[in-house]
Amino acid sequence: MASHRKPRPGGTTGAGIRTPALATAALTSMAMLSQTAEAAPRTDHAKPSLEEVEKKVDDLYRQAESATEKYNANKERTGKQRSRVDALREEVARRTDRLNKAREELGSFAAAQYRTGAAAPDTATFLLADSPQDYFDQSQLMNRLTSREKRAVDDYIGEQATTMKKRREAAESLRTLTDSQHDLQTAKTTVQQKLASARELLSRLTAQEKARLAAIEREKQQEAARKAAELAKRQAQQQSDSSSSSSSSSSSSGSGSTGSTTSGAYDTKAEKAIAFARAQIGKPYVWGATGPDSYDCSGLTQAAWKAAGVSLPRTTYDQVDAGTTVSLANARPGDLIFFYDDISHVGVYIGNGMMIHAPKPGAYVREESVYYGGESIIHSVVRPG
């Protein structure tokens, strides 16, 4: 019999449930929308601007230089600690040898007493005691020893105490050395990671972008040179005013100035330091290097002033305290100029707003304005003393 049921409406069943055909169409539409969304550029991974790349690279180089100074400090500390460990080991070896000789001497006394029957083998028992002093305090053996034997006992006890102390010191120094070596390796790894990141960023630039970056750097150098010229004018005027004041004071007092003698001695040393630094121009910056073929910033300043007969510490953190702090306006050739809040860079001032420094990885020792990175990064000026 023929069915008289009405066909269902083509799109729905009952309470708004989609048919399989429409569901398939909806899924297809959603997939297309998803593909469109994926094809659209993601703003959170947009290529950084050239200015952003430049800032990031500069920051990485500065972080690398800061880590370099930490590396230098750890290297110096590790070297001193290694020397201390070696010295203590030698001392322990000498003490141990003396302790063994003292033990042998006491052993000979014990053997002689035992052979003659002069005493029970208490001395031999003493040699095996954990605490010789306690053993003697609790026995009557000392009353039966000759003066020579008593001196031998005292020597043994003293040597044993000293040897044990030195062994503890050596063990503690070795632990400290291990910690220093770990810190040294950490600093070294940090430097290498920062430099690798900077190189990777620069490798992404096109030839056109690199050319634009070079143009930006030239503009910065021109601005730095302009500010250096302004500083030179201020310093020249200040020096002129100071000379006039000094001449007037000398005329009225009728005597020479001790200060001028001191100033002359400093200028002589400064000339030697600057001459040395100038002779290094063109040599590469290499982190951790102290010459003669390459330098980092503090390695160059240390070597320059060493040529003038002045010993400076190894790191920027210590060099900043190795003299008298003066204002930038009063800076004289030979003074050290430090940069950044963490004092991670230094150069030798040569006058006229210029300095010689080892700038950063990938660069060479060069003469440059003290404003090479802007005025805000100048930390302080120190006159080595």
Side-chain angles (χ1 to χ4, degrees), residues 133-148:
Q133 187 62 63
D134 289 345
Y135 175 79
F136 276 108
D137 289 342
Q138 296 170 11
S139 72
Q140 301 298 317
L141 178 59
M142 288 297 284
N143 295 329
R144 299 198 300 271
L145 297 180
T146 66
S147 58
R148 181 186 174 192

Side-chain angles (χ1 to χ4, degrees), residues 31 53 57 74 119 146 148 157 172 192 196 205 209 246 253 284 382-383:
V53 171
V57 169
N74 284 320
T146 66
R148 181 186 174 192
I157 292 173
E172 181 61 31
Q192 293 171 333
L205 298 179
E209 288 173 330
S246 298
S253 64
V382 172
R383 187 161 300 152

